[in-house]
Amino acid sequence: QVQLVESGGGLVQAGGSLRRSCAASGTIFRIRPVGWYRQAPGKQRDLVARITSGGSTNYADSVKGRFTISRDNAKNTVSLQMNSLKAEDTATYYCRLVLRGIPYWGQGTQVTVSS
């Protein structure tokens, strides 16, 4: 059983910054890619950023240059630094990894950007 625990998020004004973190028990993050997803009301859940076990990253076009995903293997965490936030970034954000074909999700946290 993999448990992902998220922290961070909240309310911020447009142009501001927030940092989300996702922690897992054990060292699972060292061997599996981890993704951050978001879901706005009435919309599907979309990939925002992803980092592989080797540290390669990819981002959705809408967040490139503003969001940065990183991992800290010593702390078994993956973080998402969100800068220059826009109202359209408002959503519930989730971290996710897949192990043996089974997806595991964090509990999700609301990020609200006021314009």
Side-chain angles (χ1 to χ4, degrees), residues 2-46:
V2 176
Q3 191 168 15
L4 304 180
V5 179
E6 300 173 18
S7 60
L11 174 65
V12 67
Q13 289 188 331
S17 298
L18 284 173
R19 186 177 181 87
R20 302 292 327 281
S21 291
C22 181
S25 57
T27 59
I28 193 66
F29 280 170
R30 300 184 189 184
I31 61 172
R32 298 299 304 166
V34 178
W36 280 101
Y37 291 72
R38 68 185 181 188
Q39 186 170 22
K43 296 187 177 181
Q44 66 181 20
R45 191 172 297 185
D46 292 326

Side-chain angles (χ1 to χ4, degrees), residues 2 16 26 38-40 44 54 64 69 71 74-75 77 89 93 108:
V2 176
R38 68 185 181 188
Q39 186 170 22
Q44 66 181 20
K64 281 181 181 177
I69 189 171
R71 64 193 309 140
K75 296 182 179 180
T77 59
D89 295 318
Y93 285 70

Side-chain angles (χ1 to χ4, degrees), residues 21-112:
S21 291
C22 181
S25 57
T27 59
I28 193 66
F29 280 170
R30 300 184 189 184
I31 61 172
R32 298 299 304 166
V34 178
W36 280 101
Y37 291 72
R38 68 185 181 188
Q39 186 170 22
K43 296 187 177 181
Q44 66 181 20
R45 191 172 297 185
D46 292 326
L47 177 67
V48 174
R50 183 176 180 268
I51 187 167
T52 68
S53 56
S56 298
T57 59
N58 61 281
Y59 298 91
D61 287 343
S62 59
V63 306
K64 281 181 181 177
R66 300 189 297 121
F67 289 14
T68 302
I69 189 171
S70 61
R71 64 193 309 140
D72 185 334
N73 287 338
K75 296 182 179 180
N76 296 318
T77 59
V78 172
S79 298
L80 184 69
Q81 178 66 41
M82 303 181 289
N83 298 328
S84 301
L85 283 161
K86 305 175 182 179
E88 50 263 43
D89 295 318
T90 295
T92 300
Y93 285 70
Y94 303 85
C95 60
R96 172 187 183 262
L97 66 80
V98 178
L99 182 63
R100 301 187 186 96
I102 300 173
Y104 295 91
W105 296 91
Q107 78 272 21
T109 303
Q110 178 69 29
V111 171
T112 301

